[in-house]
Amino acid sequence: MATAGFALASSLCIAGSVFAAGYQVGQDSISGAGVAQAGGAAAATDASTIYTNPAGMIRLTERQFVGGGHALPPSLFGDSIDFTNGGTITNTGAAVTGGDGGEGAVGTVIPNLYAMWPVRDDLRVGIGINAPYGLAVDYEEDWVGRYNELGAAVLTVNVNPSVAYRVNERWSVGGGVSVMYSRARLTQVIDFGRALGGVSGTQDGSSAFSADDLGVGFNLGVLYELNANTRIGAQYRSGFDFHYKGDVDFTVPANARAGLDGNGQTRAFTDGGMRADFPIPETASVSIYHDVPNSKWAFMGDITWTRWEVFDHLVFVADEPQTSTNIIATFWDNTYRVSAGATFEWSPKLQLRGGLAFDDSPIKTLYRGSGVPDSDRVVTAVGGGYALRDNVTIDFAYQHIFFKTGRVINRVGTGSRHIGTFDNQADFLSLGVTWKF
């Protein structure tokens, strides 16, 4: 299996999400979605603060449950992932035939669940369950980028028990432990025709890598209440590493298998075990929240830093009997996300929300692939909350994400070069309930 990893390593900028920077989902709160996640570390308006800043639980005086989801359907205004071929070629310069990949994005629902209990006036405990990283791409089998990526999916489930303590009337602190499960699957077409020195596209096979792992991290937060109307919050969330261990399965055409055997490569491209390391970056946020005195308005802002530089390469190790190690460079950059939002109390029952964010991409053009065709984006958001009863509120939000055109000049293991541009967009529809009990 000495060459088992080359096909995977040639394309695995894996990860799956093109709708937040890198492979970060960015949808951790229904109420936060309505303001483009602005003020997340300072707002503390419901139990979703467990994830954005656990210190904010101190502001919640009643037991509280928050549940909901963010639906990512095919874009309402065209293809979510829109690829235009710019001359994808083999290593000999011949054009690779095929289509544009179709829709590309996979519709999904991203859940959020949070629960919080006051223990005493100065102490709160809570637990959050969400999916902070992941999503998927799935292209048509005959598209021109099939040797780069056919499909990629990463699922994460994060469980985050937390505690908050009020130090004095202005300062509160909080922290928690994150236990995250992740499962990944990557599929791609392999150009055996070209790999064996023949004609590209005449002997296509495929590979599928599936693996999972469990990771542990932590988060810390602080909240400072400047006065009754203004508060400032900050949070740090640690990074950690997934050490995926799973299986790689190959489909090899009969003629290609005969060619490999004839070259003495009887173990090449045979099913077996494979391992890969995959990092989750650390993040830090600073937010401000301000209720305008004697008005129905509140304004908020946020800046979040993500240490994407930890994703500088991927390492794949094939198991025995013939161990091989493959390394692919990614060299992502650290990023900042800036957002601003506002809420307006339309009536005692209805609160309206809106927000705007700029989120820059960590990916350089040279390393952009079809697994994460990510680029800088602007997020627009509207939403609201409607009180059905004194203790039950329905929250809703809509986000549209505008992406900057992203150029692709990615080279794969057989020497083919995937060339073109991605013009992407996305829509999120969010709905949830807050229950105080």
Side-chain angles (χ1 to χ4, degrees):
M1 202 164 61
T3 56
F6 108 85
L8 295 169
S10 70
S11 67
L12 195 72
C13 295
I14 73 173
S17 173
V18 298
F19 304 120
Y23 43 87
Q24 193 172 31
V25 174
Q27 300 291 344
D28 47 60
S29 166
I30 309 298
S31 57
V35 292
Q37 286 76 41
T45 54
D46 60 45
S48 64
T49 191
I50 290 168
Y51 187 80
T52 55
N53 183 356
M57 288 191 288
I58 286 295
R59 291 189 53 82
L60 309 178
T61 59
E62 301 174 275
R63 290 177 296 176
Q64 195 173 113
F65 170 83
V66 174
H70 309 266
L72 176 62
S75 179
L76 304 179
F77 303 98
D79 288 347
S80 297
I81 299 178
D82 186 5
F83 176 74
T84 300
N85 186 21
T88 299
I89 55 175
T90 70
N91 68 334
T92 63
V96 175
T97 61
D100 62 4
E103 171 65 24
V106 177
T108 189
V109 174
I110 304 156
N112 300 148
L113 295 172
Y114 303 96
M116 189 282 305
W117 298 265
V119 177
R120 60 191 194 205
D121 287 346
D122 61 353
L123 186 65
R124 306 284 189 272
V125 296
I127 187 168
I129 303 173
N130 62 353
Y133 297 88
L135 299 188
V137 292
D138 186 19
Y139 299 98
E140 295 176 348
E141 291 187 4
D142 64 346
W143 87 296
V144 295
R146 60 190 178 275
Y147 304 130
N148 181 269
E149 194 94 55
L150 185 62
V154 170
L155 164 73
T156 62
V157 178
N158 180 59
V159 180
N160 193 177
S162 301
V163 62
Y165 176 70
R166 185 189 297 276
V167 178
N168 55 43
E169 64 179 8
R170 294 188 182 276
W171 289 95
S172 301
V173 296
V177 175
S178 285
V179 180
M180 189 182 300
Y181 170 79
S182 177
R183 182 167 182 82
R185 179 175 174 82
L186 169 75
T187 59
Q188 96 178 102
V189 174
I190 302 174
D191 187 3
F192 284 106
R194 182 66 266 163
L196 294 172
V199 179
S200 180
T202 58
Q203 296 188 60
D204 282 355
S206 64
S207 66
F209 171 63
S210 299
D212 63 359
D213 192 27
L214 193 69
V216 179
F218 66 92
N219 61 314
L220 300 171
V222 60
L223 186 68
Y224 177 71
E225 301 187 52
L226 186 64
N227 53 50
N229 299 307
T230 306
R231 50 190 180 271
I232 300 170
Q235 174 176 249
Y236 171 82
R237 184 168 288 276
S238 74
F240 50 90
D241 291 314
F242 288 126
H243 303 290
Y244 288 137
K245 185 175 183 179
D247 300 303
V248 58
D249 300 313
F250 292 97
T251 300
V252 183
N255 289 342
R257 175 53 63 195
L260 290 168
D261 293 345
N263 292 334
Q265 296 177 288
T266 58
R267 293 297 302 169
F269 299 100
T270 56
D271 298 349
M274 180 169 281
R275 291 165 284 142
D277 292 337
F278 187 67
I280 296 295
E282 60 186 305
T283 64
S285 300
V286 177
S287 304
I288 187 168
Y289 184 97
H290 177 67
D291 277 310
V292 179
N294 303 314
S295 85
K296 298 181 179 182
W297 288 94
F299 295 94
M300 60 222 68
D302 177 89
I303 183 167
T304 295
W305 168 83
T306 304
R307 191 189 175 198
W308 284 116
E309 67 181 6
V310 298
F311 194 58
D312 60 350
H313 65 274
L314 286 163
V315 178
F316 299 87
V317 180
D319 292 346
E320 298 292 348
Q322 281 189 298
T323 301
S324 65
T325 299
N326 296 272
I327 301 175
I328 180 170
T330 49
F331 296 118
W332 285 14
D333 292 328
N334 298 335
T335 63
Y336 288 92
R337 184 184 194 276
V338 180
S339 58
T343 64
F344 178 74
E345 299 294 334
W346 180 269
S347 72
K349 287 184 173 291
L350 178 63
Q351 182 188 76
L352 300 179
R353 302 167 183 149
L356 186 69
F358 172 77
D359 201 357
D360 62 338
S361 170
I363 302 176
K364 303 179 180 74
T365 296
L366 184 62
Y367 300 103
R368 181 177 291 109
S370 49
V372 187
D374 185 36
S375 58
D376 296 349
R377 85 291 316 277
V378 174
V379 181
T380 57
V382 293
Y386 183 79
L388 294 178
R389 298 200 300 258
D390 288 343
N391 66 333
V392 178
T393 300
I394 299 296
D395 294 297
F396 50 91
Y398 166 71
Q399 290 187 355
H400 183 78
I401 305 176
F402 300 87
F403 288 81
K404 182 179 178 180
T405 297
R407 188 182 176 209
V408 177
I409 52 174
N410 193 258
R411 183 186 296 274
V412 299
T414 56
S416 298
R417 186 176 288 275
H418 186 208
I419 301 172
T421 57
F422 282 99
D423 290 293
N424 303 329
Q425 58 181 320
D427 297 286
F428 278 103
L429 301 172
S430 305
L431 183 67
V433 61
T434 299
W435 176 37
K436 302 174 184 178
F437 58 100

